[in-house]
Amino acid sequence: MDAEKNESVNIYDIAEMANVSIATVSRVVNGSDKVSPATRRKVEEIIKEVGYKPNAFAKGLGLNTMHTVGILTPNVADAFMAAAVYYLEQEMRGYGYDCLLSCSGFQPEGKRNQLDLLLSKHVDALVLVGSTYAGSGKDSKETDYIREAAKKVPVFLINGSVRGRNVYVTVCDDTKAVRSVTESLIACGCKDILFMTDSRSYSANKKRSGYEEAMQKTGLPLRQELIRFVRNDIGFVREYLHREKPVFDAVVATEDGIAIGVLKYAADLGIRVPEELQIVGYNDSRMALACEPELSSIDNGLKMMCIETVRRLMDILQGRRADKKTVVPCQIIERGTTRFLKR
Amino acid sequence: MDAEKNESVNIYDIAEMANVSIATVSRVVNGSDKVSPATRRKVEEIIKEVGYKPNAFAKGLGLNTMHTVGILTPNVADAFMAAAVYYLEQEMRGYGYDCLLSCSGFQPEGKRNQLDLLLSKHVDALVLVGSTYAGSGKDSKETDYIREAAKKVPVFLINGSVRGRNVYVTVCDDTKAVRSVTESLIACGCKDILFMTDSRSYSANKKRSGYEEAMQKTGLPLRQELIRFVRNDIGFVREYLHREKPVFDAVVATEDGIAIGVLKYAADLGIRVPEELQIVGYNDSRMALACEPELSSIDNGLKMMCIETVRRLMDILQGRRADKKTVVPCQIIERGTTRFLKR
């Protein structure tokens, strides 16, 4: 079997150029008689024209693939990423696919190396979990490694947005969720709403935009001293607030761990939650149920993002078309630390 | 390169029979001149005698391996297992090894399939995380699939014990930890100590033994109504206790989630913790810091188990000998829900 000679052209490109599905290209390559003579001629002409040599994957497409999808995540000890891997595994198993996982860390070199490792194991597609893979959004070179991988197999991103051929994206509407929560807090009469985050990632920036949009929309001034960068660590946040003593009557945190640190600080000072202070976390983790009162939290729609990703991944692997970008809504789970929905 | 003809004999067997390291066998197979003529003769005789055909792995040992270790875990969404994967990754990376992870679920078929998947990706060794892989301990057939895999690559178990050639085990001393905690509670004057668990696994059984040993040692009767099987779910445990109304003055739980359910129940009834009720969780998870008061919890020595596993795995891959079984101590982290160490 020939190696892919013209590496810059793959089966997805041929399908796009011929305006047919990749299953059709696969049938032509494999000599199936389920293709009309006209379509066959068109596909064969394009293949000849661009010098495309089908690789083993294209030849075996849908017949004899490895039925294995590679999952890349920076750190599986993070509850969000671990849950994503869990949902992805479950979904893919339903389609008869196995998963291989690798952890890349947050550095460019690690990302590239682990992506290559997965490709070397002959996976049929890649799923990248976490907004770190989308880079800062400032320099498109940061994400060249993803477009490079997408020449070999389709690449799906969860919670990060990258443009490229054969690259598919599923994100949640973080901006809208934070804007909505912040507006609700303002409607409750909150004036000094802290926005606390541990990250400057694509996803964290979307959340921050939501906070800023709510301020603009309601005509409140955007005060930089209300935006705080902290560590996602209960003890750290608690001590940070004792040290910094900011004035605030509400908190929107980009992680549940940060929000619970605020809750602990409030308990230390006898500040009543939610009467005197309202707190909203993010990710609706198990910790949100462990604290007292239970934490209101934004459910980032992770499960739905994973289901949507796998559904489209299977569409692509089975030769159908799929949306390049899908946006999944977030949901606000109100519990004991807020009173904007309850009455 | 020949496939391994006599599949029941591998490089580790030859090393054991010749009483040399696998590195020495590898050197003989690869024609290295760093072996004494006498040793060479001995190894070659055994190889001939048993009809051993070195496989690609043995031929390339230490020179040209994939430098990839397969990790199998039932469910990576479990915080304990996710943390184990994280520690293992970090340690192996320090030795220049990559990891591939697969999730098997808890059913025998899934375990076998995912183990085969990892082997098909040419991993140099396997690490199985979680006591589920050791079965119930009642029927050795349950673990035949592990000994089968160990004919191909060395297999390391974390938190589960299985006997077999080329199988290595790292466990923590759960029995001792629970015995010690239970004895401390008895010394505090507790009489009705609930033991709450969600599992009948190897690890859960060890914990239960510790509880029972403490009762025996202190001459207290072993009352079956004090041993409760529940779900590892805060809300479930809280409702369970409201429904069942057991009489108790202390709880030893095999999961932090169970212990926090007890804490919530106590808050509902105005029972003061730790004055009227002492509670100990297990795994020292992030949740232990989220609740109020913070939860005393048994640290299962997970990080040390992972470090010990990787250290011995590298010994084996680099042709040295390693202990078949290592026992790591647990540590009791006392926080606000107990008062047996504090004064």
Side-chain angles (χ1 to χ4, degrees):
Chain A
M1 215 168 277
D2 287 328
E4 192 166 10
K5 294 262 177 62
N6 185 343
E7 284 204 5
S8 63
V9 179
N10 63 31
I11 191 168
Y12 302 93
D13 300 316
I14 302 296
E16 202 162 318
M17 288 186 256
N19 198 24
V20 298
S21 72
I22 58 165
T24 300
V25 180
S26 175
R27 287 193 195 101
V28 170
V29 167
N30 290 292
S32 160
D33 55 9
K34 288 181 186 162
V35 189
S36 75
T39 303
R40 173 176 301 281
R41 213 175 308 122
K42 182 170 70 174
V43 173
E44 284 177 345
E45 269 168 21
I46 290 167
I47 286 177
K48 201 176 161 189
E49 197 178 308
V50 300
Y52 167 67
K53 300 280 180 192
N55 62 10
F57 171 63
K59 287 200 175 172
L61 196 77
L63 306 166
N64 193 24
T65 75
M66 302 297 288
H67 277 80
T68 308
V69 171
I71 303 176
L72 197 62
T73 177
N75 171 13
V76 80
D78 178 281
F80 173 86
M81 293 168 198
V85 172
Y86 174 74
Y87 293 134
L88 289 169
E89 278 255 338
Q90 284 212 317
E91 283 300 306
M92 303 234 229
R93 194 152 300 163
Y95 288 95
Y97 273 74
D98 289 317
C99 296
L100 279 179
L101 174 69
S102 188
C103 300
S104 67
F106 291 89
Q107 299 308 314
E109 198 195 339
K111 292 175 190 172
R112 270 191 296 270
N113 287 348
Q114 298 305 305
L115 210 145
D116 285 346
L117 172 69
L118 286 172
L119 286 173
S120 78
K121 301 296 176 185
H122 304 293
V123 294
D124 297 334
L126 285 168
V127 180
L128 278 46
V129 182
S131 61
T132 182
Y133 296 109
S136 65
K138 280 171 193 152
D139 185 352
S140 78
K141 276 187 188 153
E142 286 179 328
T143 52
D144 279 348
Y145 73 106
I146 290 177
R147 283 177 288 274
E148 204 53 45
K151 289 179 184 169
K152 293 175 185 141
V153 296
V155 178
F156 290 77
L157 275 87
I158 290 184
N159 215 25
S161 197
V162 168
R163 284 162 162 283
R165 181 169 283 178
N166 215 15
V167 178
Y168 300 83
V169 165
T170 310
V171 292
C172 57
D173 202 343
D174 290 310
T175 304
K176 189 175 167 190
V178 173
R179 188 176 62 226
S180 162
V181 158
T182 310
E183 284 174 9
S184 297
L185 291 169
I186 294 167
C188 280
C190 297
K191 284 178 173 53
D192 306 304
I193 305 171
L194 274 192
F195 177 82
M196 300 183 82
T197 184
D198 66 334
S199 168
R200 295 173 198 268
S201 70
Y202 167 80
S203 166
N205 290 342
K206 280 199 303 175
K207 295 170 189 171
R208 186 172 162 177
S209 297
Y211 171 81
E212 294 174 351
E213 285 175 18
M215 294 295 166
Q216 280 184 315
K217 207 170 155 192
T218 52
L220 287 178
L222 191 62
R223 290 149 52 199
Q224 285 309 315
E225 79 270 20
L226 290 179
I227 294 173
R228 302 282 179 140
F229 286 87
V230 292
R231 274 169 49 197
N232 177 17
D233 177 306
I234 296 171
F236 177 92
V237 172
R238 186 183 200 165
E239 282 167 33
Y240 172 90
L241 292 173
H242 276 295
R243 193 173 63 239
E244 297 278 324
K245 301 182 181 60
V247 174
F248 62 104
D249 52 15
V251 173
V252 178
T254 64
E255 297 284 346
D256 281 347
I258 297 173
I260 293 171
V262 178
L263 191 58
K264 295 272 179 180
Y265 166 78
D268 291 342
L269 265 58
I271 300 170
R272 285 175 304 142
V273 175
E275 293 81 359
E276 299 172 89
L277 171 63
Q278 298 194 57
I279 308 170
V280 183
Y282 222 104
N283 289 349
D284 192 28
S285 63
R286 275 193 91 190
M287 279 195 296
L289 296 174
C291 58
E292 192 61 43
E294 290 179 357
L295 182 68
S296 298
S297 187
I298 295 171
D299 175 349
N300 49 35
L302 178 63
K303 188 174 180 178
M304 206 193 283
M305 281 200 280
C306 293
I307 290 172
E308 269 301 302
T309 298
V310 175
R311 189 183 61 73
R312 281 145 68 225
L313 192 155
M314 292 304 152
D315 278 345
I316 294 298
L317 287 185
Q318 291 165 8
R320 293 186 293 272
R321 293 191 163 271
D323 290 338
K324 296 279 283 183
K325 184 167 185 167
T326 296
V327 181
V328 161
C330 298
Q331 211 189 329
I332 296 149
I333 314 291
E334 177 151 60
R335 299 200 183 90
T337 59
T338 57
R339 52 191 172 86
F340 47 74
L341 294 177
K342 276 189 210 129
R343 205 140 325 234
Chain B
M1 215 166 278
D2 288 329
E4 192 165 9
K5 294 261 177 61
N6 184 343
E7 285 204 4
S8 62
V9 178
N10 64 31
I11 191 168
Y12 302 94
D13 299 317
I14 303 294
E16 203 162 319
M17 287 186 256
N19 198 23
V20 298
S21 73
I22 59 167
T24 300
V25 179
S26 175
R27 286 192 195 101
V28 171
V29 168
N30 290 293
S32 161
D33 56 9
K34 287 181 187 161
V35 189
S36 76
T39 303
R40 173 177 300 282
R41 213 173 309 125
K42 182 170 69 172
V43 173
E44 284 178 344
E45 269 168 23
I46 288 167
I47 286 177
K48 200 176 160 190
E49 197 178 310
V50 301
Y52 167 68
K53 300 281 180 189
N55 62 9
F57 170 64
K59 286 199 174 171
L61 195 77
L63 308 164
N64 193 26
T65 76
M66 303 296 289
H67 277 79
T68 307
V69 171
I71 302 176
L72 197 62
T73 177
N75 171 13
V76 81
D78 177 283
F80 172 86
M81 294 169 198
V85 172
Y86 174 75
Y87 293 133
L88 288 170
E89 278 257 337
Q90 285 213 318
E91 283 299 305
M92 304 233 230
R93 195 154 297 165
Y95 288 95
Y97 273 72
D98 289 316
C99 295
L100 280 179
L101 175 69
S102 187
C103 301
S104 67
F106 290 89
Q107 298 307 314
E109 197 195 337
K111 292 175 189 171
R112 269 191 297 268
N113 288 348
Q114 298 305 305
L115 209 146
D116 285 346
L117 171 70
L118 286 171
L119 286 173
S120 78
K121 301 298 177 185
H122 302 295
V123 293
D124 296 335
L126 285 168
V127 180
L128 278 46
V129 182
S131 60
T132 181
Y133 296 110
S136 64
K138 282 174 193 151
D139 184 353
S140 78
K141 276 188 188 153
E142 285 179 330
T143 53
D144 279 348
Y145 73 106
I146 291 177
R147 284 177 288 272
E148 204 53 44
K151 289 179 183 169
K152 294 174 185 142
V153 297
V155 178
F156 290 76
L157 274 88
I158 290 184
N159 214 25
S161 197
V162 168
R163 285 164 162 281
R165 183 168 279 180
N166 215 15
V167 178
Y168 299 83
V169 165
T170 311
V171 292
C172 56
D173 202 342
D174 290 310
T175 304
K176 190 176 167 189
V178 173
R179 188 176 61 225
S180 162
V181 157
T182 310
E183 285 174 7
S184 297
L185 291 170
I186 294 168
C188 279
C190 296
K191 284 179 174 52
D192 305 305
I193 305 171
L194 273 192
F195 177 81
M196 299 183 82
T197 184
D198 66 334
S199 167
R200 296 174 197 267
S201 70
Y202 168 79
S203 166
N205 289 343
K206 280 199 303 174
K207 294 170 189 169
R208 186 172 161 178
S209 296
Y211 172 81
E212 294 174 349
E213 285 175 17
M215 293 295 166
Q216 279 185 314
K217 208 172 154 189
T218 51
L220 287 180
L222 190 62
R223 289 150 51 200
Q224 286 307 314
E225 78 270 20
L226 290 178
I227 295 173
R228 302 282 179 143
F229 286 87
V230 293
R231 275 168 51 196
N232 178 15
D233 177 307
I234 296 170
F236 177 92
V237 171
R238 186 182 201 165
E239 282 167 34
Y240 172 89
L241 292 173
H242 277 295
R243 194 173 61 240
E244 297 278 324
K245 302 183 180 57
V247 175
F248 63 105
D249 52 16
V251 173
V252 178
T254 64
E255 297 284 346
D256 281 347
I258 296 173
I260 293 170
V262 178
L263 191 58
K264 295 274 180 180
Y265 167 77
D268 290 343
L269 265 58
I271 300 170
R272 287 175 303 141
V273 174
E275 293 81 358
E276 300 172 87
L277 170 63
Q278 299 194 57
I279 306 170
V280 183
Y282 222 105
N283 290 348
D284 193 28
S285 64
R286 277 193 89 190
M287 279 195 297
L289 297 173
C291 57
E292 193 59 45
E294 291 179 357
L295 182 68
S296 299
S297 186
I298 295 170
D299 175 347
N300 49 35
L302 178 63
K303 188 173 180 180
M304 205 194 281
M305 280 199 282
C306 292
I307 290 172
E308 269 301 301
T309 298
V310 175
R311 189 183 61 72
R312 282 146 68 224
L313 193 155
M314 292 304 153
D315 278 345
I316 293 298
L317 288 184
Q318 291 165 7
R320 292 186 293 274
R321 294 191 165 268
D323 290 336
K324 296 277 284 182
K325 183 165 186 169
T326 297
V327 181
V328 162
C330 298
Q331 212 188 330
I332 297 150
I333 314 291
E334 177 150 62
R335 298 200 183 89
T337 58
T338 56
R339 53 191 173 86
F340 48 73
L341 295 177
K342 275 187 211 131
R343 201 117 324 229

